[in-house]
Amino acid sequence: MKVGILGSGEVGQALGRGFASRGHDVKIASRNPKSEALVMWQKQTKGKASTGTFEETAKHGEILVLASLGRAVEEVLRLAGPPNMAGKLIIDTTNALDDSQGSNLGLFIGPNDSLGERVQRRVPEAKVVKCFNTVPNTQMVDPKFAGGNPEMLICGDDEAAKKKVVGILKEFGWPGAIDVGGIEGARWLEATVPLWVLVGKRLGRWDHAFRVVHG
Ligand SMILES: NC(=O)c1ccc[n+]([C@@H]2O[C@H](COP(=O)([O-])OP(=O)(O)OC[C@H]3O[C@@H](n4cnc5c(N)ncnc54)[C@H](OP(=O)(O)O)[C@@H]3O)[C@@H](O)[C@H]2O)c1
């Protein structure tokens, strides 16, 4: 599969490495695709890996991963070009974190909207699936949680697209997913993340995730 990763931070780089290691042809996007960091990423990534602009990367991908700063999502979609994303699966990893109040982390959207919904509205012909936004980049591929790997929380409007994402999750070492429904569920997947940060601060580590348990 040709995979376009729209974002070159820790998430984009980790998922890019993951897809390339599973034999996919990965292009990762940045406003500066020839930056030292990305040249290094390309050198160190095993498999087919290249870098490009947001537009080149959106055109390259048969499936896309949105991995930009939450506040830059609108701009990244504009740079990528919605027609280049129409009809494609977009795995949306983004969070609407607002750190303008210092340590009192908040969200810049909500509670009746989300980045997942905004992406789906901006590219109505795409199949947006919210995924990976609730887990740390270090655990996204080949997760290793003490006590066993949890199921990923996902949501989206297109059933076939969600099925495809569950297949990708299994390729990456996850047991599967709990699908919480339509893309409106992104409101609540995104809302768990400030809590995830508070828990991380309390534990003094950043490799944790929430697990659903039942009797
Ligand atoms: N870090 C994690 O462990 C983690 C876990 C789960 C979810 N998330 C979410 O995943 C997303 C990516 O996180 P991250 O930590 O990998 O990276 P990040 O620092 O949040 O985002 C980096 C990307 O955003 C782009 N960007 C920033 N400002 C921009 C602007 N004004 N215009 C266009 N593009 C801009 C950068 O483009 P350039 O390459 O051009 O600089 C870069 O590709 C975030 O929404 C985050 O909340 C993060």
Side-chain angles (χ1 to χ4, degrees):
M1 233 168 14
K2 287 186 169 180
V3 182
I5 313 261
L6 301 169
S8 67
E10 291 177 320
V11 172
Q13 292 194 21
L15 290 176
R17 271 192 301 273
F19 277 108
S21 71
R22 267 64 176 177
H24 302 291
D25 173 357
V26 176
K27 191 183 280 298
I28 195 167
S30 170
R31 289 166 296 177
N32 183 8
K34 300 286 171 230
S35 71
E36 221 173 283
L38 283 186
V39 169
M40 186 68 83
W41 172 85
Q42 192 177 354
K43 266 192 193 154
Q44 291 174 346
T45 298
K46 293 187 187 83
K48 266 195 157 177
S50 60
T51 68
T53 64
F54 283 103
E55 186 184 16
E56 288 163 351
T57 302
K59 284 183 177 161
H60 169 86
E62 292 158 338
I63 73 166
L64 301 172
V65 176
L66 180 59
S68 73
L69 181 72
R71 286 204 187 270
V73 162
E74 301 275 349
E75 174 63 2
V76 161
L77 295 180
R78 190 189 69 74
L79 291 171
N84 299 323
M85 297 181 272
K88 297 180 182 177
L89 162 63
I90 302 179
I91 300 175
D92 173 22
T93 71
T94 62
N95 283 308
L97 290 176
D98 174 11
D99 59 3
S100 61
Q101 307 293 312
S103 62
N104 200 8
L105 200 60
L107 298 173
F108 64 82
I109 301 179
N112 298 321
D113 197 8
S114 61
L115 278 173
E117 289 165 276
R118 286 188 181 185
V119 175
Q120 185 64 80
R121 283 200 299 273
R122 185 75 177 85
V123 197
E125 305 86 0
K127 297 151 192 167
V128 180
V129 177
K130 195 90 202 175
C131 183
F132 293 113
N133 74 300
T134 59
V135 301
N137 70 84
T138 50
Q139 298 271 31
M140 287 179 178
V141 181
D142 298 320
K144 285 178 186 65
F145 290 95
N149 295 331
E151 286 166 303
M152 182 74 73
L153 295 170
I154 67 167
C155 67
D157 291 341
D158 190 282
E159 295 303 322
K162 288 191 280 196
K163 222 171 164 182
K164 196 163 194 167
V165 168
V166 171
I168 291 166
L169 285 168
K170 288 184 175 168
E171 254 186 89
F172 282 2
W174 292 86
I178 297 178
D179 169 8
V180 302
I183 194 63
E184 301 78 22
R187 297 170 192 183
W188 313 113
L189 299 196
E190 292 172 22
T192 64
V193 178
L195 178 61
W196 181 89
V197 173
L198 288 181
V199 171
K201 281 185 182 165
R202 179 59 70 187
L203 297 177
R205 55 190 304 164
W206 302 98
D207 55 358
H208 59 294
F210 296 128
R211 175 196 297 280
V212 175
V213 291
H214 48 78

